[in-house]
Amino acid sequence: MQEAIRLATESVAAGGGPFGAVVGRGSEIVATGTNTVTTSLDPTGHAEVTAIRNACRALGDFKLDGCVLVTSCEPCPMCMASALWARLDRVLYSADRNDAAGAGFDDRAFYELFTDPDAVWPTPVRRLGTENRTAPFDAWLAKSDRVEY
């Protein structure tokens, strides 16, 4: 945890956001990440996503089972979904969403969107039904050498 907090603090000095993350396996640090949203002009450049991407490259796999994500702050819904997709064994965090909100990073409304079925989303999301909507899935199912995930 101390490494994640150190990375987050150094990220601020380097012009990034105040978030750091470490992916570890056993006692080994596999990869790290810091928040690069403003420095890379990438809204997905959160520390956790960056650490997950770096860990996948380091291990040569898109699954991180056997690994733990340690992050300086509670993961936002995007980062938590990324951790789930990566099949991490566990996620540990220090500061929480309220601590982040106190520093101007208030994403509490995003958490509520996923828990309140009556929430009004700031970005409209609607399904557009088309006749060939399952064509990509049909192609996937027909592919004999597909890699399941």
Side-chain angles (χ1 to χ4, degrees):
M1 184 59 74
Q2 290 306 313
E3 179 64 5
I5 292 170
R6 184 189 69 73
L7 288 165
T9 305
E10 286 184 0
S11 177
V12 173
F19 303 94
V22 173
V23 173
R25 185 166 57 184
S27 61
E28 171 192 4
I29 291 178
V30 174
T32 64
T34 58
N35 183 285
T36 62
V37 170
T38 58
T39 57
S40 66
L41 306 177
D42 178 359
T44 68
H46 290 203
E48 298 88 342
V49 172
T50 302
I52 289 168
R53 287 175 180 157
N54 291 340
C56 288
R57 281 193 290 275
L59 296 175
D61 200 345
F62 59 88
K63 292 185 286 185
L64 297 176
D65 47 323
C67 294
V68 175
L69 175 66
V70 180
T71 181
S72 64
C73 187
E74 182 178 5
C76 74
M78 175 185 69
C79 293
M80 199 57 231
S82 298
L84 292 170
W85 276 110
R87 309 298 198 267
L88 286 152
D89 285 4
R90 191 169 33 157
V91 176
L92 304 171
Y93 65 90
S94 185
D96 66 17
R97 64 185 81 174
N98 297 310
D99 297 320
F105 295 89
D106 193 355
D107 58 0
R108 291 176 291 193
F110 295 159
Y111 294 95
E112 292 169 15
L113 288 174
F114 290 98
T115 58
D116 180 0
D118 298 321
V120 177
W121 288 56
T123 302
V125 178
R126 301 288 180 267
R127 178 177 179 224
L128 295 177
T130 57
E131 279 187 37
N132 65 341
R133 72 182 180 275
T134 63
F137 296 122
D138 297 340
W140 172 257
L141 291 171
K143 185 174 173 58
S144 62
D145 63 341
R146 67 182 179 261
V147 177
E148 300 286 344
Y149 64 98

